[in-house]
Amino acid sequence: MKKLWTVLIMLCFLVMLPLQSLGASAAAPKISVKTYKTEQIQYAVIHGDKYKAVNAKMLNEAKKTYALQKELDKQLARDKANGSVPDYMEYWAVLTPFVKYKSSTKVSILTQLYVYNGGAHGNSSYESYNVYKGTQLSLKGAFKSEAAYLKAKKYAKAKMLGYPEKYPFADSTTTIAGHPYYWVASGGIKVVFDPYEVAPYAAGMVTVSIPAAYFR
């Protein structure tokens, strides 16, 4: 009986080894958030050599945001000098990354650039970095075929036009083409629109979901 239990334990151990290895190899990459020059400008870093190209792009966005802040500082100095803004006024360029999804094969990072240079409120714009097996994909490149991309464009437009309460500014010219996006756990994506594109500013960031059936 003792020999039988020993054999069973060894078999269980051998069966578990591939599962443990699979779990280790399927781990999502580590992602760090760093600052560039100032606390208000942040960028993400995906750990691993295969992410060097996308990391360079995210760092470059941070550098551009810092250059924008320097231009805003000059504009602010001119505006204060001519009395068009009060002395306490500040102009800002704030860059914030959000890790929206990560797995062993896919990573989605969305960045928000918020710029305030006077007026009632600032304005936000979005950029996305979507990596599939180490390669950054455009929106079109995330689809499994050209035909799937074209069908998804029609699907998204019909969805937005069918829900005017959520997308009041959507019309016949509205398209997902060229927009940032990010993967979601279901295998589909959410396409991101800047304020005023398909909804008023108060709605904030507006997205339209496209299901997994269209994607690789």
Side-chain angles (χ1 to χ4, degrees):
M1 178 65 76
K2 184 181 289 186
K3 183 179 289 187
L4 177 60
W5 276 109
T6 302
V7 171
L8 288 173
I9 290 169
M10 289 182 66
L11 285 172
C12 289
F13 178 74
L14 290 172
V15 168
M16 287 299 293
L17 275 177
L19 295 176
Q20 291 172 344
S21 299
L22 177 63
S25 64
K30 180 181 176 182
I31 301 175
S32 301
V33 174
K34 298 185 176 183
T35 59
Y36 184 80
K37 301 287 188 180
T38 176
E39 290 294 324
Q40 76 220 34
I41 300 175
Q42 300 180 331
Y43 65 100
V45 177
I46 311 171
H47 293 232
D49 288 341
K50 64 183 178 181
Y51 300 107
K52 283 183 177 179
V54 69
N55 284 337
K57 289 183 179 180
M58 290 190 288
L59 175 58
N60 190 53
E61 185 183 13
K63 291 178 178 179
K64 288 182 177 180
T65 303
Y66 182 72
L68 174 59
Q69 179 64 64
K70 290 299 183 184
E71 291 301 314
L72 289 173
D73 292 343
K74 293 177 182 177
Q75 180 187 341
L76 180 62
R78 292 192 299 267
D79 291 347
K80 285 184 177 180
N82 63 32
S84 60
V85 298
D87 288 339
Y88 61 81
M89 182 72 75
E90 295 292 338
Y91 292 168
W92 297 101
V94 181
L95 182 66
T96 309
F98 301 93
V99 179
K100 303 300 289 185
Y101 182 81
K102 66 175 183 174
S103 70
S104 61
T105 56
K106 294 177 179 178
V107 177
S108 282
I109 296 172
L110 184 74
T111 61
Q112 179 187 32
L113 175 62
Y114 176 82
V115 177
Y116 178 76
N117 60 347
H121 56 72
N123 287 299
S124 292
S125 60
Y126 301 90
E127 184 58 81
S128 63
Y129 302 89
N130 300 286
V131 186
Y132 178 71
K133 295 182 178 179
T135 300
Q136 189 176 1
L137 296 182
S138 65
L139 174 63
K140 188 176 181 179
F143 290 86
K144 60 186 179 182
S145 66
E146 174 79 15
Y149 171 65
L150 295 176
K151 287 179 181 178
K153 286 176 67 178
K154 291 180 180 179
Y155 169 90
K157 179 180 287 189
K159 186 172 183 179
M160 288 186 281
L161 293 177
Y163 289 90
E165 65 278 8
K166 184 175 180 180
Y167 310 101
F169 298 166
D171 58 27
S172 60
T173 65
T174 301
T175 178
I176 62 170
H179 282 76
Y181 72 97
Y182 56 89
W183 281 296
V184 293
S186 65
I189 67 168
K190 288 191 175 184
V191 179
V192 180
F193 290 85
D194 287 342
Y196 299 114
E197 285 193 280
V198 293
Y201 182 87
M205 184 184 78
V206 178
T207 64
V208 61
S209 298
I210 301 176
Y214 294 98
F215 301 97
R216 59 170 75 188

